[in-house]
Amino acid sequence: QVQLVESGGGLVQPGGSLRLSCAASGRIASINIMGWYRQAAGTSQAAGMERDLVASTTTRGFTYYANSVQGRFTISRDNAKNTVYLQMNSLKPEDTAVYYCNLNQDGMDYWGKGTLVTVSS
């Protein structure tokens, strides 16, 4: 069983910064992809709302960023700790969402419970 625990969300003013962390535990494969998705607060996948990929990183260090966060967000990981981070700078109100950690390995997706990020003055 794989568990993902996120931390670091909260309320921040526009232009501010936050750092999210996600620690994975359980059976973690040596090759995997860890990433962050986000979904508008108050919505659910059951209601047909999709989670949008924000950024991801592989165990070999390859990274991907959505166009909307390129240059503002930085994803990193510590493979020894099975932990992924998302440094978010120059935050905008449209970044407000629930951020979910994702681990993809062996054809399976695992999700954290999500952490709320609110960007507001």
Side-chain angles (χ1 to χ4, degrees), residues 5-52:
V5 178
E6 303 113 331
S7 61
L11 173 64
V12 64
Q13 293 186 341
S17 299
L18 280 176
R19 188 191 194 211
L20 306 183
S21 300
C22 172
S25 61
R27 192 190 72 80
I28 308 300
S30 59
I31 298 175
N32 61 61
I33 302 172
M34 295 189 76
W36 292 92
Y37 287 71
R38 66 187 180 188
Q39 186 170 7
T43 65
S44 68
Q45 286 185 307
M49 297 298 294
E50 293 185 353
R51 294 177 181 178
D52 297 321

Side-chain angles (χ1 to χ4, degrees), residues 100-114:
Y100 294 91
C101 179
N102 172 270
L103 170 68
N104 178 273
Q105 63 179 26
D106 300 329
M108 294 285 293
D109 276 309
Y110 301 90
W111 296 93
K113 293 183 178 180

Side-chain angles (χ1 to χ4, degrees), residues 59-80:
T59 44
R60 295 186 177 182
F62 293 105
T63 59
Y64 164 85
Y65 294 95
N67 288 337
S68 58
V69 306
Q70 183 77 42
R72 301 187 297 122
F73 291 9
T74 302
I75 192 169
S76 60
R77 64 186 293 164
D78 184 333
N79 289 332

